[in-house]
Amino acid sequence: MSDAMLTIEGVAKHFGEVSALSSIDLEISSGQVIGLVGGNGAGKTTLLRLMAGVMEPSSGDVLFRGKPVSSMRAKLGVVPESTGLYSRLTAWENIRYHSRMFGIDDTVAWNRTSHFAKRLDLSDSLSRHTKGFSRGMRQKTALLRALAHGPDILLLDEPTAGLDVTSARTVRTLVRQLRDEGGTVIYSTHHLAEAQQVCDRIIIVHNGTIRADGSPNDLLELTECSNLEDAYVALTSDKARARTEEPRSESKLARWWKVFLTGRTPDTVGGDDDE
Amino acid sequence: MMSESWRYIRVISAKEIIEFIRDWRTLVAVIVIPLLIFPALFIALPMLMQSEAAELDALTLEVVWQGDVEDDLHLKYQDLKLNLTFEELSDDAENLSDPGSDLDRLRNQEYDAIFRLRNSSGTWEFSILHLSTSEYSAEAKARMLGALYDWEMEVINGTLTEAGLEPNETLNPVKWDGNPEYADAATKGEQAGLALSLFIPMVIAIWTATSAIQPSIDMTAGERERGTLEALLCLPCSRVQLLAGKWLAVATITSVGVGLQLAGLMFAITYLASSSIIGVPSISWSSVMLLGIAILIFAIMVVAFELAIAMKSHSVKEAGSLLGPAIIFIMFPAIFTQFINLDGIEAFWFSVPLVNILLAMRELLLDRVILEHIVVWLVSSLLYAGIAAWYAARQFKREDLVASLS
């Protein structure tokens, strides 16, 4: 049995006839920052959701220390791209709600939150309602919420998307500090420069498959390129797939009727996450 | 394991309730409106109507008297705050009810009414020309008709007496002896129970269904729309526990609304009882307990169903447009049930969805505890509530809750 913390074995994920991920095999060990890098629609968010146990794979297994990850969610800390904060609650109430769900005593959660809030420069805002929070403050609060119960692994979906330079740097610094303290972070991004700065290991996801997996230097050696951007282009040179494909059997009239009735275009079938 | 499940449910419902009541509009919808609706309907509205009637009583109205003048009737009209103007009958009308040239005077509200009287070979003929859309005109007509009735009785009594007959015996040869109220075997409390049974089940059903809509949508489709659902699904609880937590929150909010509405109703009834308009209903404790169970099962079913529909929706707007019309499916049986005769009712009625609970509430408000009916509505309602909960659980387990977040 391997000493991997998170194991993904032969995982595929389909939404109807659309294949979001196929033949994914990964092992994630502790004490690393792992970057999931890929363009929009590549499958990063779906892969993260499988790792977070909120989705079940169509085939294959996602295991946390040998057990199905869906039964081990208490060991995970997740920051989805939408942050998911309740605007009528204060930042601390948002954090406390989640920590109580994880069975953590309020005092313990508060101490952990205070500790990380100082690093993220958010201590003064913990008692404020999150309604007026900036994107950066929301992201930081979501991070504090994910850390409050002391997870073994942190899953971050585009944690710096939409953040100003200072906030993005603060988040990246915290991620590195967590790694230095022995933590494990899986970090989804489509910024190569950011991945290079933060990640020990980069997994390039493209068209629902893993194109490369290794340290930034490994990727450069593999592609014989001088920088990661060129390496990424070389590894993903085939055309990115359309986000979804509509089944051919549906008539034009049926498609028009569906769009008329639902107001949604057919390409939302497989999910509208920013993959 | 059980305590962990309960912790999840408790934490989720507490958070949902706190978040929900932090919106002042919710407080108005859940507390103020339910509390005031019945006192407003049963106390304030009659008071307003009385005040308006008193105002109308105090008015002096303009009336034209055309044709013959009868002295006794004239005397009665003088006591009615009518400002009378006397005129001759015009010849252009075919009969007394034909307004003829007086039509415009009424329509322009120059006068409130025109009274026409003619003695034709010993018979008095009359008409009151009026404008039914005018309250003043209707009031003038009502005052004159009342006086005319009294005068007519005096004329009849006089004629009968002249003929050597006793008026009361002649006009009322068959009469009820004693006070008819004393002949009713039902107590005042039972009569009050009957009156309440005609609308309390309907109020509870409709209010439970309507007041659960907003929190149901907010806690499901609202979560999807605001992007908070994914973080919630990452928590270690199962989706059934998540549903149970949200159900408890919606049920609590709805119960508070229904409870306050009933409190307002009880206050109104107590107020009316003090005026001897209605008695305080007498219901046994067993009926009260069964009534509570019936309402609880109804709430389980309705709230679970509404949560399921709302969770199925992709947006608050979609959920609203689905759940709004769905209320018809509650309202129709609620109204229909009021017309079902409870005496000798067949047991199968107590197994019809929604109708069964409403009938059960009606029966219990009449303090009729019939074992066969109780077993049928209890078993069938639990079955329907179970189906609703199962359907809601299915909606909460759907994978596209995450895959198609708004």
Side-chain angles (χ1 to χ4, degrees):
Chain A
M1 190 177 168
S2 75
D3 61 348
M5 180 185 275
L6 195 65
T7 310
I8 298 172
E9 294 174 341
V11 162
K13 182 67 188 172
H14 306 287
F15 296 105
E17 294 182 19
V18 178
S19 171
L21 291 171
S22 58
S23 308
I24 304 289
D25 289 287
L26 280 175
E27 284 198 346
I28 308 288
S29 302
S30 58
Q32 283 189 318
V33 179
I34 296 110
L36 289 179
V37 181
N40 292 337
K44 302 188 302 292
T45 299
T46 302
L47 186 54
L48 265 183
R49 284 171 177 165
L50 290 168
M51 289 176 177
V54 293
M55 269 186 186
E56 290 293 324
S58 305
S59 61
D61 296 303
V62 183
L63 306 170
F64 183 89
R65 297 196 197 286
K67 293 180 182 170
V69 74
S70 54
S71 65
M72 300 294 282
R73 286 204 293 262
K75 302 288 182 188
L76 313 176
V78 184
V79 179
E81 195 188 354
S82 58
T83 69
L85 297 180
Y86 297 99
S87 59
R88 289 180 217 143
L89 302 184
T90 65
W92 164 239
E93 283 171 337
N94 269 287
I95 296 162
R96 188 181 61 187
Y97 171 45
H98 275 232
S99 65
R100 281 181 177 172
M101 288 296 285
F102 283 102
I104 304 296
D105 182 74
D106 285 356
T107 313
V108 175
W110 174 252
N111 289 339
R112 283 187 66 86
T113 300
S114 302
H115 171 72
F116 288 112
K118 278 180 198 160
R119 295 198 201 177
L120 290 170
D121 196 22
L122 201 72
S123 301
D124 295 338
S125 302
L126 288 176
S127 57
R128 281 178 53 197
H129 284 92
T130 59
K131 192 172 187 177
F133 273 19
S134 65
R135 170 80 191 170
M137 290 167 83
R138 297 180 71 81
Q139 199 69 44
K140 288 174 184 176
T141 308
L143 253 173
L144 291 176
R145 187 186 61 191
L147 288 165
H149 64 286
D152 289 357
I153 187 166
L154 198 58
L155 306 175
L156 310 179
D157 192 3
E158 308 267 6
T160 57
L163 264 57
D164 60 61
V165 175
T166 314
S167 298
R169 175 178 280 197
T170 310
V171 170
R172 285 196 296 267
T173 305
L174 179 72
V175 169
R176 280 197 296 266
Q177 286 173 347
L178 289 170
R179 186 262 321 271
D180 295 343
E181 291 163 10
T184 308
V185 181
I186 297 180
Y187 192 107
S188 146
T189 181
H190 50 253
H191 294 298
L192 283 163
E194 184 173 86
Q196 194 165 15
Q197 280 180 51
V198 181
C199 304
D200 306 301
R201 177 180 164 193
I202 293 175
I203 297 166
I204 293 182
V205 185
H206 185 68
N207 285 356
T209 57
I210 292 175
R211 293 299 170 92
D213 179 0
S215 68
N217 283 337
D218 291 341
L219 299 187
L220 294 176
E221 280 178 25
L222 179 72
T223 54
E224 297 176 345
C225 294
S226 58
N227 62 66
L228 266 186
E229 193 171 297
D230 289 342
Y232 177 82
V233 172
L235 289 164
T236 60
S237 55
D238 54 320
K239 191 183 170 190
R241 64 185 172 183
R243 287 186 64 193
T244 56
E245 291 142 28
E246 192 68 4
R248 293 288 176 212
S249 57
E250 202 166 34
S251 70
K252 273 186 181 175
L253 182 65
R255 282 165 63 109
W256 177 86
W257 184 240
K258 189 186 277 185
V259 171
F260 176 77
L261 278 181
T262 63
R264 278 173 272 145
T265 51
D267 64 1
T268 56
V269 173
D272 55 0
D273 45 20
D274 187 24
E275 288 180 339
Chain B
M1 191 64 190
M2 187 63 196
S3 65
E4 193 176 66
S5 284
W6 173 238
R7 177 169 59 80
Y8 290 141
I9 294 166
R10 191 168 42 83
V11 172
I12 292 167
S13 60
K15 174 257 152 192
E16 296 291 358
I17 290 168
I18 289 169
E19 204 200 0
F20 195 72
I21 62 175
R22 280 192 179 163
D23 184 1
W24 68 268
R25 286 162 294 197
T26 305
L27 290 179
V28 171
V30 173
I31 295 176
V32 181
I33 292 174
L35 198 58
L36 296 183
I37 192 165
F38 279 118
L41 206 62
F42 290 160
I43 301 172
L45 187 63
M47 282 169 78
L48 178 75
M49 287 168 71
Q50 275 178 359
S51 148
E52 286 294 305
E55 200 176 290
L56 213 53
D57 279 348
L59 282 173
T60 300
L61 302 165
E62 296 295 326
V63 172
V64 176
W65 184 318
Q66 293 179 345
D68 300 331
V69 177
E70 208 287 330
D71 290 340
D72 290 339
L73 184 60
H74 184 202
L75 276 174
K76 288 184 187 300
Y77 277 13
Q78 281 177 329
D79 294 338
L80 297 177
K81 290 185 187 159
L82 298 176
N83 191 16
L84 297 169
T85 305
F86 293 93
E87 292 178 357
E88 291 296 317
L89 264 175
S90 64
D91 298 330
D92 61 346
E94 285 182 19
N95 56 58
L96 295 184
S97 294
D98 179 3
S101 57
D102 289 327
L103 183 69
D104 288 341
R105 293 208 291 176
L106 282 170
R107 293 190 65 81
N108 296 337
Q109 293 184 297
E110 193 180 325
Y111 289 97
D112 296 311
I114 296 173
F115 176 64
R116 289 174 174 175
L117 186 68
R118 181 169 62 197
N119 194 323
S120 175
S121 315
T123 303
W124 289 101
E125 293 170 339
F126 79 96
S127 79
I128 300 171
L129 305 180
H130 63 284
L131 186 67
S132 62
T133 50
S134 159
E135 285 187 23
Y136 287 5
S137 186
E139 172 67 15
K141 182 189 168 195
R143 286 185 199 177
M144 284 191 282
L145 278 177
L148 267 168
Y149 175 75
D150 290 345
W151 176 63
E152 185 188 20
M153 289 312 296
E154 285 174 13
V155 171
I156 292 168
N157 287 347
T159 309
L160 290 171
T161 307
E162 275 177 24
L165 296 168
E166 208 291 312
N168 194 32
E169 284 178 7
T170 310
L171 294 173
N172 297 306
V174 179
K175 61 183 178 185
W176 189 296
D177 185 33
N179 188 337
E181 279 185 32
Y182 298 156
D184 187 355
T187 64
K188 283 273 186 191
E190 287 165 346
Q191 290 172 31
L194 173 67
L196 294 180
S197 75
L198 293 175
F199 66 94
I200 280 192
M202 192 164 68
V203 168
I204 289 174
I206 294 173
W207 190 259
T208 303
T210 49
S211 62
I213 288 179
Q214 198 195 347
S216 294
I217 293 175
D218 189 66
M219 291 176 201
T220 51
E223 290 242 30
R224 289 182 84 169
E225 197 165 277
R226 292 189 296 269
T228 51
L229 191 61
E230 187 173 3
L232 199 58
L233 296 174
C234 292
L235 292 171
C237 62
S238 70
R239 295 197 185 184
V240 172
Q241 288 161 339
L242 184 64
L243 165 67
K246 285 179 180 289
W247 177 86
L248 186 60
V250 179
T252 305
I253 292 164
T254 306
S255 304
V256 169
V258 173
L260 288 173
Q261 200 175 37
L262 290 176
L265 177 64
M266 289 305 140
F267 172 77
I269 287 170
T270 311
Y271 177 84
L272 294 175
S274 68
S275 320
S276 303
I277 296 171
I278 190 171
V280 177
S282 56
I283 308 171
S284 65
W285 281 110
S286 56
S287 291
V288 171
M289 195 182 70
L290 286 164
L291 199 60
I293 292 170
I295 294 170
L296 180 71
I297 297 172
F298 182 76
I300 290 173
M301 185 172 65
V302 171
V303 172
F305 178 71
E306 290 186 2
L307 276 172
I309 297 288
M311 191 49 121
K312 204 176 165 63
S313 312
H314 290 81
S315 65
V316 169
K317 190 179 168 190
E318 187 182 333
S321 58
L322 281 172
L323 281 175
I327 291 300
I328 292 169
F329 293 103
I330 306 282
M331 285 177 76
F332 181 73
I335 295 166
F336 174 73
T337 306
Q338 306 309 310
F339 298 104
I340 297 176
N341 185 8
L342 286 178
D343 292 330
I345 186 169
E346 297 90 342
F348 80 87
W349 283 108
F350 289 87
S351 65
V352 178
L354 290 172
V355 171
N356 57 352
I357 288 283
L358 292 157
L359 281 175
M361 284 195 254
R362 271 189 67 192
E363 231 179 34
L364 293 167
L365 280 164
L366 289 169
D367 207 18
R368 295 182 185 178
V369 182
I370 302 166
L371 188 63
E372 184 193 3
H373 293 176
I374 292 168
V375 170
V376 175
W377 69 253
L378 202 57
V379 171
S380 59
S381 303
L382 281 171
L383 180 71
Y384 301 138
I387 291 169
W390 168 80
Y391 180 62
R394 267 193 58 168
Q395 297 309 317
F396 269 67
K397 284 178 181 173
R398 278 170 43 198
E399 189 167 60
D400 69 343
L401 292 187
V402 192
S404 61
L405 290 171
S406 178

